[in-house]
Amino acid sequence: MGRAAKSIETATGHPWLEWTEWLEGQGASALAHAELARLVLDRIRQLGIERHASTGEPLNDGWWAQTIAIDYEHDHGMREVGQGHLGTFAASASKTIQGTLDEALRDWLDVMAGVTEIDGVPLSEQPTTSATEKWRYWRVSLADGTRAQVDISAKQVAEGAPAKAVVSVQHSKLESADDIPPKKAAWKALLSQLNLR
């Protein structure tokens, strides 16, 4: 069973075995990633899954379709853990902190002020930021052709409780699985500085 199987079951309300058996019946193991993700997205919509089965919040069906496709690929040897659909790898890390989206972004910018390299690889450009109603983003390219993106989202809290945000980093376009641990460690070290200022 893939790493995300339990969260998939919790989100969709359907057992992972049910997803796997249905996908195998559709010949999913012979599909490219994009086709597989589209197939899953169609199935989510056919089943009428519009809300997270556990929280009741609106379901981001495109994101969950990708998650189901990737976990299926892991289970069937179509993809190594951490490997993207183009054959490259990605390292990820996250931390939940106190604050609103804008406060979390400001805190992250404070942490990154003066940082010129990640795990010994120089940044190749000035980082950029952007925002939507529900997200804040920070992105940068590195000299080795890899990219890093930070996604900041609000964490659901009890009514009247202080705001919290989830700061998630993904470092993509890594060449091998061996690159994941050092990159993950480097980003975790930076994330650990959040809310300490």
Side-chain angles (χ1 to χ4, degrees):
M1 183 181 287
R3 296 183 306 164
K6 197 68 182 169
S7 63
I8 290 166
E9 292 179 347
T10 302
T12 66
H14 292 263
W16 179 240
L17 182 60
E18 183 182 308
W19 281 109
T20 299
E21 289 176 347
W22 182 82
L23 285 165
E24 287 171 356
Q26 304 299 308
S29 62
L31 298 178
H33 174 77
E35 295 173 294
L36 178 54
R38 275 195 298 274
L39 181 69
V40 176
L41 180 60
D42 288 345
R43 182 62 173 169
I44 289 172
R45 291 175 178 172
Q46 286 169 3
L47 293 170
I49 305 171
E50 296 179 352
R51 297 199 166 270
H52 193 289
S54 176
T55 67
E57 294 182 352
L59 188 82
N60 182 341
D61 55 8
W63 189 88
W64 282 105
Q66 291 284 343
T67 301
I68 292 167
I70 289 168
D71 222 42
Y72 180 85
E73 289 167 332
H74 287 158
D75 279 1
H76 291 78
M78 299 160 67
R79 176 196 301 249
E80 291 182 52
V81 173
Q83 186 177 26
H85 67 281
L86 297 177
T88 58
F89 293 79
S92 58
S94 65
K95 182 178 181 181
T96 299
I97 64 171
Q98 298 285 338
T100 65
L101 295 178
D102 288 329
E103 288 168 342
L105 178 59
R106 279 196 301 272
D107 201 9
W108 177 252
L109 292 174
D110 285 347
V111 167
M112 295 306 294
V115 173
T116 59
E117 55 85 18
I118 302 296
D119 188 35
V121 180
L123 306 183
S124 64
E125 62 182 16
Q126 284 296 313
T128 61
T129 61
S130 59
T132 66
E133 182 183 347
K134 295 187 176 182
W135 294 87
R136 301 295 180 270
Y137 302 101
W138 178 93
R139 299 176 181 91
V140 72
S141 293
L142 286 87
D144 60 358
T146 62
R147 281 191 60 77
Q149 176 167 318
V150 173
D151 299 339
I152 301 173
S153 60
K155 184 171 179 66
Q156 190 173 9
V157 295
E159 191 173 338
K164 289 187 177 181
V166 180
V167 181
S168 301
V169 183
Q170 183 171 57
H171 193 139
S172 59
K173 298 188 177 182
L174 303 176
E175 288 190 2
S176 80
D178 293 338
D179 296 326
I180 296 174
K183 294 297 186 284
K184 186 185 285 276
W187 288 112
K188 281 188 172 182
L190 289 166
L191 287 167
S192 71
Q193 298 177 46
L194 290 169
N195 274 170
L196 297 179
R197 300 168 179 272

